[in-house]
């Protein structure tokens, strides 16, 4: 029966040994690429490379068999490479790093593992990196510039609202202006916090006493919970703390807890836990709230992504909370795991590797 459905198709294996023309063409195609291509064997040694790679890695014709780690010494490359080897999979995210030949240029290394071997592609991403930097600077500058006018507006609105002789016809307007400036202020503060987390590389590292921090998060949650009346349970199974930036981590974990409160209908159950695991420690927040339908889950940590904008605004949300969580967790080389079922509830989990876990004295 005719069908308009086409399966992707490619020859599984091209035997080029007997086909010199194909062999030459493939070679020329790889040489013509603008990006560096390197083939690496199971012992991490070079097997083949194209001209761009030869130039970038200063390779000579007799360098076959040289270790890739002698060619690229950046520690982030080694970590990425070992990660791929350990999981034996292709990590399409790749790793970005400053070029070892010209620190003003940025490169992206991407490894695809196949059989025992690996294909390493190196792209020049300098332009992308600059655009990304311009985007970050722009957001940081706009947020910063908005701060002063907003502070003036908020101040005067507070003054006017406090007057005893506010004409009744102004009252509703003043109320709305106060609400909206407060909302704008929350957005600007969250944008500034996000920019800081993104830009700051050498943030202050401290030993974080998780028991103390989570007790604070819990107390704040209880204050916020007044109008919701949920039962909130905090389980701390380990005295282990973390090594990191206290302010950022506090902000991330609070966002997860406040979200659980906001997106759970009144009288729900919320469980916050901090437990030891085989790999390190794990923080999680479980609610029996609205839940999230599968198509939304992968996008929740994007800036301003909301499942229901009306509800988010009504509860004072900025749409930036989970983006902040994502960036803070990135500092710990980890990501947010979200399990959720519509009308059943959600669990947000962050696992921290043992290298970030610190037993407190
Ligand atoms: P917001 O300020 O809108 O809460 P967030 O970035 O914190 O922004 O969250 C993004 C969206 O993810 C929210 O608008 C909401 O739709 C959804 N969400 C977050 N946490 C939960 C939760 N615990 N239960 C259901 N939906 C949630």
């Amino acid at each position: 029966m005719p069908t308009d459905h086409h399966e992707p198709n490619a020859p599984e294996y091209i035997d080029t040994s007997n086909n010199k023309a194909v062999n030459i063409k493939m070679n020329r195609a790889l040489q013509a690429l603008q990006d560096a291509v390197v083939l690496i064997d199971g012992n991490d040694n070079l097997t083949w490379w194209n001209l761009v790679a030869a130039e970038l890695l200063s390779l000579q014709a007799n360098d076959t068999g040289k270790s890739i780690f002698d060619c690229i010494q950046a520690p982030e490359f080694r970590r990425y490479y070992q990660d791929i080897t350990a999981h034996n999979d292709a990590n399409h995210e790749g790793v970005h790093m400053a070029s070892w030949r010209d620190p003003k240029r940025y490169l992206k290394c991407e490894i695809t593992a196949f059989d025992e071997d690996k294909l390493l592609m190196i792209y020049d991403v300098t332009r992308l990196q600059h655009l990304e930097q311009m985007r970050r600077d722009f957001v940081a500058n706009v947020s910063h510039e908005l701060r002063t006018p907003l502070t003036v507006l908020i101040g005067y609105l507070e003054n006017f609202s406090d007057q005893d002789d506010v004409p009744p016809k102004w009252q509703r307007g003043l109320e709305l202006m106060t609400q909206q400036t407060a909302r704008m202020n929350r957005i600007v503060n969250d944008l500034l916090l996000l920019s800081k987390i993104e830009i700051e590389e050498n943030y202050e590292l401290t030993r974080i006493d998780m028991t103390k921090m989570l007790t604070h998060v819990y107390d704040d949650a209880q204050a916020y919970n007044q109008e919701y009346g949920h039962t909130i349970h905090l389980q701390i199974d380990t005295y282990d703390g973390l090594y990191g930036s206290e302010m950022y981590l506090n902000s991330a974990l609070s966002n997860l807890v406040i979200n659980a409160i906001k997106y759970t209908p009144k009288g729900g159950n919320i469980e916050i836990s901090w437990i030891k695991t085989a790999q390190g420690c794990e923080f999680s927040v479980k609610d029996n709230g609205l839940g999230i339908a599968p198509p939304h889950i992968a996008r929740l940590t994007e800036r301003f992504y909301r499942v229901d904008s009306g509800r988010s605004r009504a509860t004072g949300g900025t749409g930036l909370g989970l983006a902040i969580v994502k960036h803070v967790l990135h500092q710990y080389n980890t990501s947010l795991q979200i399990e959720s079922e519509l009308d059943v509830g959600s669990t947000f989990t962050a696992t921290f590797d043992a290298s970030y876990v610190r037993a407190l004295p």
Side-chain angles (χ1 to χ4, degrees):
M1 205 166 74
T3 165
D4 54 5
H5 176 74
H6 296 285
E7 285 293 325
N9 198 357
E12 209 167 74
Y13 175 63
I14 307 175
D15 183 359
T16 57
S17 56
N18 291 325
N19 192 336
K20 211 167 165 210
V22 174
N23 202 350
I24 290 172
K25 280 234 181 285
M26 281 181 66
N27 213 314
R28 285 175 65 87
L30 288 170
Q31 295 295 11
L33 276 181
Q34 303 280 309
D35 308 303
V37 185
V38 183
L39 270 178
I40 304 166
D41 67 16
N43 295 320
D44 311 327
N45 298 329
L46 308 187
T47 322
W48 185 92
W49 54 91
N50 69 354
L51 286 172
V52 180
E55 160 84 21
L56 191 67
L57 304 175
S58 309
L59 295 172
Q60 308 297 322
N62 59 359
D63 276 336
T64 310
K66 188 173 175 180
S67 164
I68 184 65
F69 301 119
D70 288 340
C71 306
I72 307 177
Q73 288 166 3
E76 55 268 51
F77 175 78
R78 189 180 271 270
R79 269 198 302 274
Y80 169 64
Y81 189 98
Q82 283 166 347
D83 201 33
I84 298 266
T85 311
H87 299 106
N88 197 28
D89 62 11
N91 179 346
H92 292 292
E93 291 258 313
V95 63
H96 287 238
M97 61 184 85
S99 164
W100 45 90
R101 299 189 68 185
D102 174 2
K104 286 205 267 330
R105 306 204 70 77
Y106 285 90
L107 303 174
K108 177 185 176 187
C109 295
E110 205 174 88
I111 294 174
T112 307
F114 65 99
D115 303 336
E116 293 289 290
D117 300 341
K118 293 186 183 67
L119 173 74
L120 165 66
M121 301 278 304
I122 309 175
Y123 307 94
D124 188 328
V125 290
T126 309
R127 213 177 92 80
L128 261 181
Q129 193 81 16
H130 282 163
L131 284 173
E132 179 67 8
Q133 188 60 43
M134 274 165 66
R135 179 194 65 77
R136 283 191 205 136
D137 291 348
F138 176 77
V139 175
N141 290 337
V142 170
S143 320
H144 193 76
E145 291 296 326
L146 283 174
R147 241 186 163 177
T148 315
L150 252 178
T151 311
V152 173
L153 276 176
I154 290 170
Y156 274 105
L157 279 169
E158 240 171 49
N159 259 342
F160 293 150
S161 307
D162 285 349
Q163 306 291 321
D164 295 330
D165 53 353
V166 178
K169 64 174 178 181
W170 286 12
Q171 266 169 6
R172 178 80 185 128
L174 278 176
E175 226 176 80
L176 283 177
M177 282 194 276
T178 305
Q179 271 172 21
Q180 293 304 323
T181 43
R183 187 169 151 241
M184 209 172 184
N185 201 33
R186 280 196 300 276
I187 295 178
V188 166
N189 284 338
D190 274 1
L191 278 174
L192 276 171
L193 179 63
L194 252 179
S195 301
K196 256 185 102 179
I197 302 171
E198 268 193 330
I199 291 170
E200 222 170 86
E201 279 179 359
N202 301 319
Y203 54 92
E204 200 194 339
L205 291 177
T206 48
R207 272 164 184 252
I208 306 170
D209 180 340
M210 287 299 282
T211 309
K212 203 165 142 198
M213 177 190 282
L214 289 175
T215 310
H216 275 148
V217 169
Y218 176 79
D219 290 344
D220 290 348
Q222 285 295 14
Y224 189 82
N225 186 34
Q226 302 248 318
E227 61 174 295
Y228 294 87
H230 302 311
T231 305
I232 307 181
H233 185 238
L234 171 65
Q235 177 199 357
I236 301 183
D237 261 9
T238 169
Y239 286 118
D240 279 349
L242 284 175
Y243 197 59
S245 157
E246 187 154 3
M247 185 187 88
Y248 295 152
L249 191 69
N250 186 64
S251 169
L253 304 190
S254 296
N255 277 337
L256 292 176
V257 174
I258 298 294
N259 275 353
I261 298 176
K262 282 191 321 192
Y263 299 109
T264 298
K266 286 183 179 169
N269 281 313
I270 292 164
E271 287 166 32
I272 310 167
S273 63
W274 175 243
I275 56 170
K276 210 177 175 77
T277 62
Q279 286 77 33
C281 282
E282 186 179 285
F283 171 83
S284 76
V285 185
K286 182 172 189 237
D287 66 56
N288 62 344
L290 302 178
I292 307 148
H296 297 292
I297 293 183
R299 301 198 55 193
L300 289 184
T301 56
E302 286 173 22
R303 285 155 205 237
F304 297 114
Y305 189 87
R306 290 128 158 162
V307 176
D308 174 348
S309 325
R311 188 176 189 105
S312 161
R313 289 204 183 96
T315 52
T318 61
L320 294 166
L322 293 184
I324 292 175
V325 174
K326 173 184 156 172
H327 278 87
V328 171
L329 293 186
H330 187 71
Q331 296 177 336
Y332 296 86
N333 258 322
T334 187
S335 54
L336 185 64
Q337 292 146 44
I338 308 171
E339 280 171 48
S340 189
E341 199 179 327
L342 205 55
D343 299 327
V344 175
S346 316
T347 306
F348 289 76
T349 309
T351 46
F352 297 90
D353 186 78
S355 55
Y356 296 99
V357 174
R358 291 287 182 276
L360 289 169

